[in-house]
């Protein structure tokens, strides 16, 4: 496949590169949902960043929930099913996923088409999704069982209707973004942070992307670490030698790992490595459970090399 090496120099080039990939939408899927449901934000609403609109828009007589990110791009469209109180009491990535997925299943059409979609997404569903949309949320009960890094089991009751959903902690499924879109989102964040910044000991950061494509940008080491730690819930630094070390950052809720291989003047980032189908023993080798007075130095170079080889093998299989 064709390889790309792009060195971003100057604010003009950076400005062009950080525009939302699908206009005012973070993903192609959201652009399609907006077109189908007739969602169009006014200029006054676009000026509010970020934005959270609940029940101002309707589709098929049901209220919609819409969000925009800090850049003003729409990052969520779904049926309005969960209020702020339940979200704040028990934060989870599941709420937005269910709201969007219920809308997508409603648009799927016939029962056979819904079953085909569920099978394609590897989602086990028991109950009638459409009945949950029209049900009164009085006496609502929602239980989310998170098998960390691997699976979710959702048990949901609204009125007399009951639904269970079982699905992988798969970042692409939960966010509705494909691998390329996820990489675009992260790369755009990197470019925004790098604009106008200068660091004496900055790196040439190379982002390895699917399809053997690459992006390159000058970036400070601490900015790389801070950015990845911001969207993840755990990180670990493996020291290889005086000239090289490897940084892992894990998002257990969305089932992925970011890897950065730091050398003297160059850093190579492999983002969004899926781990939801990896055994716990392997995950703990990447980002082990923290122990008191454990800085990870005793894991040794063999462990780092083992992990790198496994990840490279997984990437090659994917491609």
């Amino acid at each position: 496949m064709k390889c790309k090496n792009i060195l971003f120099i100057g604010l003009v080039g950076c400005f062009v590169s950080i525009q939302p990939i699908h206009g005012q939408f973070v993903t192609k899927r959201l652009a399609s949902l907006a077109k189908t449901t007739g969602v169009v934000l006014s200029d006054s609403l676009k000026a509010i960043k970020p934005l959270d609109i609940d029940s101002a828009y309707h589709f098929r007589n049901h209220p919609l929930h819409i969000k925009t990110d800090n850049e003003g791009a729409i990052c969520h469209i779904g049926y309005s099913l969960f209020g702020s109180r339940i979200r704040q009491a028990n934060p989870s990535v599941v709420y937005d996923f269910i709201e969007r997925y219920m809308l997508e299943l409603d648009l799927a059409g016939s029962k056979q088409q819904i079953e085909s979609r569920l099978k394609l997404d590897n989602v086990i569903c028991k109950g009638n999704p459409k009945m949950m949309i029209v049900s009164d949320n009085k006496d609502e009960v929602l239980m989310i069982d998170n098998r960390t890094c691997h699976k979710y089991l959702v048990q949901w009751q609204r009125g007399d209707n009951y639904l269970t959903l079982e699905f992988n902690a798969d970042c692409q499924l939960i966010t509705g973004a494909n691998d390329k879109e996820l990489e675009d989102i992260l790369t755009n964040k990197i470019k925004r942070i790098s604009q106008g910044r200068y660091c004496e000991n900055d790196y040439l950061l190379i982002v390895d992307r699917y399809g053997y494509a690459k992006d390159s940008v000058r970036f400070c080491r601490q900015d790389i670490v801070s950015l990845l730690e911001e969207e993840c819930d755990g990180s670990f630094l493996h020291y290889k030698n005086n000239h090289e070390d490897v940084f892992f950052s894990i998002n257990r809720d969305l089932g992925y790992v970011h890897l950065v291989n730091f050398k003297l003047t160059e850093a190579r980032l492999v983002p969004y490595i899926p781990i939801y189908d990896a055994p716990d023993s392997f995950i703990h080798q990447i980002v082990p459970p923290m122990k008191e007075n454990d800085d990870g130095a005793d894991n040794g170079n063999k462990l780092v090399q083992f992990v790198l080889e496994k990840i490279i093998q997984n990437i090659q299989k994917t491609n």
Side-chain angles (χ1 to χ4, degrees):
M1 293 187 181
K2 187 177 181 180
C3 296
K4 297 179 182 178
N5 273 311
I6 305 172
L7 180 60
F8 294 93
I9 303 176
L11 295 179
V12 175
C14 287
F15 178 78
V16 172
S17 68
I18 64 174
Q19 300 307 303
I21 304 303
H22 306 287
Q24 68 177 115
F25 305 95
V26 173
T27 67
K28 183 178 180 180
R29 178 172 299 187
L30 289 172
S32 177
L33 286 176
K35 183 178 180 179
T36 302
T37 57
V39 170
V40 179
L41 297 184
S42 65
D43 291 338
S44 59
L45 288 176
K46 291 178 184 177
I48 304 173
K49 305 173 184 179
L51 178 68
D52 193 327
I53 309 174
D54 197 354
S55 303
Y57 291 79
H58 288 72
F59 178 67
R60 293 180 177 174
N61 297 320
H62 305 304
L64 295 174
H65 187 193
I66 303 163
K67 296 181 183 179
T68 67
D69 60 18
N70 291 325
E71 305 304 314
I74 292 179
C75 58
H76 174 60
I77 299 177
Y79 280 130
S80 177
L81 299 171
F82 306 108
S84 58
R85 186 168 63 179
I86 187 173
R87 288 172 175 266
Q88 293 171 3
N90 185 26
S92 174
V93 297
V94 163
Y95 301 120
D96 283 358
F97 166 68
I98 294 178
E99 287 187 340
R100 190 196 77 244
Y101 204 64
M102 291 297 105
L103 174 58
E104 292 177 332
L105 292 181
D106 194 28
L107 292 171
S110 67
K111 182 179 178 180
Q112 183 177 2
Q113 290 172 314
I114 292 175
E115 290 176 350
S116 296
R117 173 64 186 274
L118 292 169
K119 184 177 181 180
L120 179 66
D121 292 335
N122 197 21
V123 175
I124 299 174
C125 177
K126 296 180 180 179
N128 189 336
K130 293 189 176 184
M131 290 304 299
M132 303 303 288
I133 299 168
V134 301
S135 295
D136 187 345
N137 63 354
K138 185 178 180 181
D139 301 324
E140 182 174 31
V141 177
L142 180 71
M143 298 179 63
I144 303 171
D145 182 12
N146 179 6
R147 187 188 165 203
T148 306
C149 297
H150 299 293
K151 280 186 177 293
Y152 285 94
L153 174 61
V154 176
Q155 301 179 71
W156 185 22
Q157 182 176 352
R158 300 188 99 202
D160 296 330
N161 297 297
Y162 186 78
L163 185 79
T164 65
L165 291 171
E166 184 177 348
F167 51 93
N168 292 324
D170 180 352
C171 185
Q172 294 187 43
L173 171 68
I174 295 173
T175 64
N178 61 35
D179 46 24
K180 183 181 183 302
E181 288 172 329
L182 288 170
E183 292 170 344
D184 286 336
I185 293 167
L186 181 60
T187 303
N188 286 344
K189 289 181 182 179
I190 292 171
K191 294 171 188 174
R192 284 194 294 269
I193 294 173
S194 68
Q195 288 183 11
R197 288 181 62 87
Y198 171 77
C199 181
E200 290 184 1
N201 298 314
D202 63 347
Y203 285 77
L204 176 64
L205 177 64
I206 300 171
V207 183
D208 278 335
R209 300 165 64 104
Y210 285 96
Y212 301 103
K214 301 181 189 301
D215 279 340
S216 301
V217 62
R218 303 303 301 186
F219 211 63
C220 295
R221 174 173 175 137
Q222 187 53 50
D223 285 345
I224 301 173
V225 172
S226 297
L227 173 62
L228 299 186
E229 287 183 335
E230 181 180 314
E231 68 169 46
C232 295
D233 53 72
S235 59
F236 201 75
L237 184 66
H238 295 273
Y239 296 95
K240 293 187 69 176
N241 52 55
N242 292 333
H243 306 292
E244 184 177 1
D245 47 47
V246 181
F247 178 78
F248 292 102
S249 195
I250 186 171
N251 188 313
R252 295 177 175 86
D253 290 337
L254 293 174
Y256 68 80
V257 165
H258 294 313
L259 177 154
V260 187
N261 189 23
F262 288 104
K263 295 185 179 180
L264 288 177
T265 60
E266 180 181 286
R268 187 173 296 271
L269 167 63
V270 184
Y272 297 105
I273 303 164
I275 57 170
Y276 64 86
D277 56 352
D280 284 332
S281 58
F282 179 72
I283 296 172
H284 293 163
Q285 287 177 315
I286 298 175
V287 184
M290 293 302 295
K291 299 178 182 179
E292 188 175 355
N293 300 323
D294 181 9
D295 61 3
D298 294 335
N299 287 283
N301 292 340
K302 289 184 178 180
L303 172 59
V304 175
Q305 189 62 37
F306 169 77
V307 173
L308 286 171
E309 289 175 355
K310 287 293 184 183
I311 290 173
I312 291 171
Q313 289 173 9
N314 288 339
I315 294 172
Q316 290 174 342
K317 288 179 180 178
T318 303
N319 292 323

